Amino acid sequence: MVRELSKAGIPVNVMIAPIVPSINDHEIPAVMEASAEAGALSAGFTMVRLNGTIGEIFTDWVRKAYPDRAEKVLNQIREAHGGNLFDHRAGVRMRGEGKIAESIRTLFTVSRRKYFKDRRLPDLDFSKFTRNANGQLSLFD
């Protein structure tokens, strides 16, 4: 999809999400390399956060799928979210905090520098949108 959109002249940002410590964080460089090779101009990521019953479902799944490292994964998620499997704080909840989150952020930043050097999304061209009666932008007349 990234390649097709890029070929069509549509700027592409790839979102790598959710990043789950000790499960998929090691894939960040490969995903970013493949995305850049396919023509993506930028990338972003978010840390996993397990709100409400999602935390219970994930805990059950990770214990079954990765019994050898389930507690490590859960503890790393908690470390990234102030001791919880989730974080409601704006500005923190999507990126996490602490050593694990910083390690993931560093891996992402190094990979972005390597694969997306000198790339950036173009400024938005609002002339392609029309405003409806309420002043909201719309793709359609």
Side-chain angles (χ1 to χ4, degrees):
M1 183 56 66
V2 171
R3 188 175 318 282
E4 293 303 312
L5 290 169
S6 295
K7 276 187 207 176
I10 298 169
V12 177
N13 174 71
V14 173
M15 181 56 73
I16 305 170
I19 298 298
V20 183
S22 296
I23 291 184
N24 68 354
D25 54 330
H26 67 280
E27 297 175 1
I28 292 171
V31 170
M32 292 185 73
E33 180 180 22
S35 299
E37 286 177 1
L41 297 178
S42 67
F45 80 97
T46 61
M47 290 286 296
V48 67
R49 58 188 191 107
L50 305 167
N51 298 346
T53 58
I54 298 299
E56 296 170 25
I57 294 167
F58 181 88
T59 298
D60 181 61
W61 171 81
V62 77
R63 286 184 174 144
K64 289 175 181 171
Y66 299 98
D68 58 325
R69 61 183 144 151
E71 292 311 311
K72 177 182 178 180
V73 170
L74 293 167
N75 287 333
Q76 288 179 333
I77 293 170
R78 285 185 191 101
E79 181 187 328
H81 294 300
N84 299 304
L85 293 177
F86 61 91
D87 194 335
H88 294 294
R89 295 175 296 160
V92 178
R93 63 181 174 229
M94 302 308 265
R95 69 173 197 263
E97 61 186 357
K99 291 178 184 177
I100 294 300
E102 186 58 38
S103 174
I104 290 169
R105 195 168 17 267
T106 299
L107 179 59
F108 175 84
T109 300
V110 167
S111 299
R112 183 175 54 204
R113 271 192 223 121
K114 181 174 182 178
Y115 300 114
F116 289 87
K117 186 180 180 187
D118 300 325
R119 294 185 189 201
R120 73 187 251 334
L121 288 171
D123 292 335
L124 291 176
D125 180 0
F126 291 105
S127 70
K128 305 295 183 197
F129 296 85
T130 57
R131 292 194 183 273
N132 66 21
N134 296 325
Q136 294 178 318
L137 294 177
S138 173
L139 285 173
F140 311 101
D141 291 328

